[in-house]
Amino acid sequence: MRTDEVRALYDRTMREHARPDGPGVRVERDGPLVRQVGGRSDWNGVVWSSPDLDGEGADAAIAAQIRHCAALGLPEFEWKLYAHDRPADLGDRLRAAGFVPEPPETLLAAPAGPLTGAVALPDGVTLHRVSDAAGAELMALAHERAFGTDGTRLLHQVVKRLEAAPDDFVALVVTARGEPVSSARMELYPGTGFAGLWGGGTVAAWRGRGIYRALVAHRARIAAERGYRYLQVDASDMSAPILVRLGFRELGATTPYVYRPGR
């Protein structure tokens, strides 16, 4: 896999020509930017900026996004900045305008086919495909226990996707003797060649037993069977080393810059 070619393909298909990531949202081109717009509980933010963007143009584009956020009454708005985006000081300009950087993530990609091998789960542990609200509740509970964060937003998003666009979405939960201990999801992006892996997390007591790897392999099989060539992950510091060992390659770094009005 040539990382420069895959990065260029990712920029073109997943960012510049982005598609809405769920029902009820839309993708808009605003001058040199591409952004996703939805409701207050959806992800709203900039996904791409022109490589020709200069300092003056960047400041004007940032100000326009702040006005956009205010006009829609959004609780927050994100500018997803990639390390190769221009101008080189775009992060500094976002901070100066009130955007707050969150922990950076590593953009990783890998061919789906080689990752499809079966991974044995521990005794008493079962992987389930989520197809209804009850399964989504188990998934959100596993997420809360793994990450220590509120799973309410995830629950609403999963239920909404299962009801409105189930063909392009895969949700999984892993239980141990009936208790949810891990969860993950996958977004399928038709026409791009990419499937995105999201949210993989395991309760601390069950880490290191192959559950995370099994979730990756299971999603890789589904993606490959449906004709998707690459898996893509915005990986945290915790998951990136595991994924690299599995064969993922780094395409670059990405940092979420978040604007919250009134803060």
Side-chain angles (χ1 to χ4, degrees):
M1 186 183 88
R2 291 182 58 93
T3 56
D4 54 344
E5 293 178 357
V6 177
R7 183 188 303 113
L9 178 66
Y10 180 86
D11 277 348
R12 183 173 66 255
T13 63
M14 295 289 290
R15 301 183 63 204
E16 185 178 4
H17 300 287
R19 293 165 170 80
D21 70 1
V25 299
R26 62 188 184 276
V27 171
E28 300 176 339
R29 182 138 196 165
D30 184 19
L33 308 179
V34 173
R35 68 188 178 204
Q36 177 171 292
V37 179
R40 292 175 59 85
S41 62
D42 295 310
W43 185 88
N44 291 270
V46 171
V47 296
W48 178 83
S49 59
S50 169
D52 297 326
L53 196 64
D54 59 15
E56 182 178 352
D59 289 340
I62 292 168
Q65 301 319 299
I66 291 175
R67 292 194 298 271
H68 159 79
C69 179
L72 294 182
L74 299 174
E76 66 178 42
F77 184 84
E78 180 179 319
W79 187 306
K80 196 167 179 61
L81 178 66
Y82 291 77
H84 57 281
D85 287 346
R86 295 292 179 266
D89 63 348
L90 183 52
D92 293 335
R93 293 175 183 275
L94 287 165
R95 281 191 293 269
F99 283 76
V100 177
E102 296 192 341
E105 298 168 319
T106 305
L107 175 63
L108 300 173
L115 297 171
T116 58
V119 177
L121 290 168
D123 290 342
V125 174
T126 307
L127 190 156
H128 309 267
R129 180 78 176 263
V130 173
S131 60
D132 55 23
E137 289 179 359
L138 287 177
M139 185 180 177
L141 182 56
H143 183 89
E144 289 182 343
R145 292 174 174 176
F147 293 104
T149 56
D150 186 359
T152 302
R153 183 176 181 181
L154 173 64
L155 172 61
H156 291 164
Q157 289 176 335
V158 171
V159 170
K160 188 176 180 181
R161 288 303 306 274
L162 291 173
E163 291 176 346
D167 293 342
D168 299 329
F169 180 70
V170 175
L172 304 170
V173 63
V174 176
T175 60
R177 294 181 288 276
E179 288 295 314
V181 298
S182 186
S183 66
R185 60 194 191 276
M186 178 169 66
E187 299 279 354
L188 301 168
Y189 307 107
T192 68
F194 286 94
L197 305 187
W198 299 93
T202 302
V203 173
W206 286 93
R207 292 172 189 162
R209 305 193 194 189
I211 293 175
Y212 185 89
R213 288 183 288 113
L215 287 167
V216 172
H218 188 86
R219 288 176 288 175
R221 284 194 294 276
I222 295 173
E225 288 169 358
R226 298 193 186 181
Y228 289 85
R229 186 175 180 185
Y230 297 109
L231 300 178
Q232 166 265 321
V233 188
D234 290 351
S236 67
D237 289 343
M238 181 180 296
S239 59
I242 303 172
L243 293 165
V244 169
R245 288 196 296 271
L246 292 176
F248 281 77
R249 300 280 296 277
E250 181 176 342
L251 301 184
T254 177
T255 303
Y257 280 78
V258 180
Y259 181 81
R260 297 181 176 93
R263 297 189 186 182

